[in-house]
Amino acid sequence: MAEIEIGAVEKVLDEKVRPGLALHGGNIAIESFEAGVLYVRLLGNCAGCLSADSTMSELVESEVKAAFPDIKEVSLVTGVSDDLIAQAKAILRERHK
């Protein structure tokens, strides 16, 4: 499998995916790339949308795989991120000082 440049994937997301998500008040972030699987998180209004699975397959995965055939799968990360948990803890610590 060829190495995938995350910056190149970001460019495809910027040009082909983010404009469509932005129309609905959403965005997308790359969480990681491991063993041919690109892990992404939907943000904004798209984060909890009932159409998230359709958005993933019809927009995100189709555009990413068209540009990068070596990516085997695009997987949606739906749990709370470690960064968000850390931010929440920092806010709570500040409030309890």
Side-chain angles (χ1 to χ4, degrees), residues 20-76:
L21 297 177
L23 292 173
H24 299 276
N27 202 349
I28 191 168
I30 295 174
E31 291 283 315
S32 63
F33 179 69
E34 302 167 18
V37 180
L38 181 68
Y39 294 92
V40 298
R41 180 181 301 275
L42 291 176
L43 306 171
N45 290 341
C46 294
C49 178
L50 296 174
S51 298
D53 288 335
S54 294
T55 299
M56 282 299 298
S57 62
E58 294 172 18
L59 177 62
V60 180
E61 190 166 35
S62 65
E63 292 292 350
V64 169
K65 286 176 130 182
F68 303 96
D70 286 340
I71 292 179
K72 295 186 278 186
E73 180 184 350
V74 180
S75 181
L76 181 61

Side-chain angles (χ1 to χ4, degrees), residues 1-5 33 70-71:
M1 174 183 299
E3 281 293 312
I4 302 295
E5 171 76 32
F33 179 69
D70 286 340
I71 292 179

